[in-house]
């Protein structure tokens, strides 16, 4: 299948390569010429501009956008929509608020352009493992784009969640849960670490190998998970996580999850506490915060703010 892909960063570039390897024809564009040329060397068709990208696609066109959330996505959606025609599909695979998806789909409906929102999880490992895709949009658009989803995702790894906004809504809650899971691992390892130092008196003190504990928990434990796998990798490389300060950023979805919980009047105690723990990490740092930073680096390539 043919599609255009805009945004060749950590996620978009790897997604383009996975699609190319799966036999799709991918026309790529990014503001960074070096990123476009790198994809061209890997089999992508390099576009010189948005106009060039759209011109290279055969109707009905599909353009997939993978750029940072907020104004960059909003501006790119508007710019691409002006260049598409009735029957074309515009896909936002970034981290967009679901209410923005609903608005965009309504605005594009009169033009006949299909708007599809795809919550995408998999981080920098997605090129190898595949991406979990949570899709919002019309059933017809979902059916048409299924060959793309099937290539990007592992088996059973994509789902039509509902109409416009549903994909990003499900991804938003996914990320809220992720915050809570990460915080649980972080606090547990912090308690283990303090047992090895001054946290316990005398004979109650233990010299615990956190990397070895993370590794043994990966095998048969009820708390085994991919996040635990990543914690084990990080601790094996750097047992004290000295490369991290523990200043933990958030990319928006945790806040949106808490906002939505309040709108729905659904208690979200763990998810809210996990979000607030990230806010606190920006003033005082703990080993737990370093675990969070290490996990974010492992799955998403996220870098802490400069010290």
């Amino acid at each position: 299948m043919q599609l255009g892909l805009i945004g060749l960063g950590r996620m978009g570039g790897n997604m383009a390569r996975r699609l190319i390897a799966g036999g799709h024809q991918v026309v790529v564009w990014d503001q960074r010429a070096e990123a476009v040329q790198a994809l061209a060397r890997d089999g992508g068709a390099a576009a010189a501009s948005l106009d060039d990208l759209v011109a290279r696609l055969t109707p009905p066109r599909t353009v997939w956008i993978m750029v940072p959330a907020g104004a960059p996505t909003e501006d790119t959606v508007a710019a691409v929509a002006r260049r598409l025609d009735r029957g074309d599909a515009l896909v936002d695979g970034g981290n967009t608020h679901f209410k923005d998806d609903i608005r965009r789909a309504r605005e594009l409906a009169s033009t006949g352009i299909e708007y599809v929102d795809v919550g995408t999880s998999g981080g920098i490992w997605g090129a190898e493992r595949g991406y979990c895709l949570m899709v919002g949009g019309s059933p017809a658009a979902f059916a048409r784009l299924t060959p793309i989803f099937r290539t990007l995702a592992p088996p059973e790894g994509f789902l039509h969640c509902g109409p416009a906004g549903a994909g990003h809504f499900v991804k938003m809650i996914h990320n809220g849960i992720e915050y809570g899971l990460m915080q649980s691992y972080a606090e547990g390892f912090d308690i283990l670490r303090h047992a090895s130092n001054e946290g316990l008196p005398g004979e109650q003190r233990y010299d615990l190998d956190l990397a070895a504990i993370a590794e043994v928990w990966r095998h048969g434990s009820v708390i085994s998970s991919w996040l635990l796998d990543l914690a084990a990798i990080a601790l094996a490389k750097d047992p004290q996580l000295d490369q991290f300060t523990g200043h933990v950023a958030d990319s928006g979805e945790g806040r949106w999850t808490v906002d939505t919980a309040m709108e729905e009047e659904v208690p979200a105690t763990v998810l809210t506490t996990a979000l607030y723990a990230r806010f606190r990490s920006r003033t005082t740092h703990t080993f737990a915060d370093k675990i969070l930073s290490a996990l974010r680096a492992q799955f998403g390539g996220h870098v802490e703010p400069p010290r």
Side-chain angles (χ1 to χ4, degrees):
M1 186 171 177
Q2 185 193 51
L3 78 157
L5 198 149
I6 299 169
L8 306 175
R10 290 189 301 264
M11 292 279 283
N14 282 339
M15 290 171 70
R17 291 181 176 90
R18 188 173 174 92
L19 288 167
I20 293 165
H24 298 277
Q25 181 186 357
V26 184
V27 182
V28 297
W29 184 78
D30 190 284
Q31 290 182 337
R32 298 168 299 125
E34 64 273 16
V36 176
Q37 293 308 312
L39 257 298
R41 290 192 293 270
D42 290 336
S49 64
L50 286 181
D51 287 328
D52 186 32
L53 180 141
V54 172
R56 288 169 176 259
L57 299 175
T58 302
R61 307 172 185 88
T62 298
V63 179
W64 188 306
I65 297 171
M66 290 295 296
V67 301
T73 294
E74 193 71 35
D75 294 344
T76 305
V77 167
V80 171
R82 289 195 298 270
R83 292 166 167 82
L84 297 183
D85 297 316
R86 182 173 296 275
D88 293 341
L90 194 161
V91 182
D92 176 9
N95 291 324
T96 288
H97 196 290
F98 71 97
K99 293 181 181 179
D100 290 329
D101 292 316
I102 295 170
R103 170 181 52 80
R104 292 175 191 158
R106 186 182 303 119
E107 292 170 351
L108 291 176
S110 62
T111 69
I113 297 171
E114 291 273 15
Y115 180 86
V116 180
D117 56 286
V118 181
T120 307
S121 181
I124 58 178
W125 295 73
E128 173 186 346
R129 293 168 52 100
Y131 300 88
C132 178
L133 305 176
M134 295 143 272
V135 185
S138 73
F142 177 79
R144 175 184 152 198
L145 300 178
T146 288
I148 295 173
F149 302 145
R150 187 173 287 121
T151 299
L152 287 173
E156 310 301 325
F158 65 97
L159 176 70
H160 182 228
C161 298
H168 278 143
F169 186 91
V170 174
K171 174 58 162 49
M172 175 184 73
I173 303 305
H174 163 283
N175 280 32
I177 293 170
E178 176 187 294
Y179 279 36
L181 292 173
M182 290 171 65
Q183 188 67 29
S184 295
Y185 285 122
E187 292 176 8
F189 281 111
D190 204 3
I191 295 169
L192 292 171
R193 179 176 178 272
H194 276 78
S196 305
N197 297 309
E198 71 283 354
L200 292 172
E203 69 277 6
Q204 298 179 36
R205 192 171 301 165
Y206 303 108
D207 184 16
L208 300 174
D209 185 334
L210 301 192
I213 292 169
E215 183 61 30
V216 76
W217 281 350
R218 294 180 58 233
H219 303 280
S221 165
V222 72
I223 64 167
S224 60
S225 72
W226 185 39
L227 284 173
L228 181 61
D229 295 344
L230 298 178
I233 292 171
L235 288 166
K237 290 180 178 178
D238 181 5
Q240 300 304 317
L241 303 180
D242 290 329
Q243 65 179 297
F244 300 103
T245 65
H247 180 127
V248 188
D250 69 286
S251 53
E253 297 93 330
R255 301 182 189 218
W256 301 341
T257 298
V258 172
D259 288 343
T260 302
M262 289 190 292
E263 289 180 0
E264 297 179 354
E265 298 184 358
V266 173
T269 308
V270 171
L271 308 190
T272 302
T273 301
L275 174 64
Y276 278 38
R278 295 193 178 198
F279 297 163
R280 192 265 312 137
S281 78
R282 297 163 201 177
T283 57
T284 59
H285 311 311
T286 67
F287 187 74
D289 300 326
K290 290 187 175 186
I291 290 282
L292 293 176
S293 288
L295 286 173
R296 295 185 82 247
Q298 283 291 324
F299 70 69
H302 300 291
V303 179
E304 287 183 341
R307 303 186 184 191

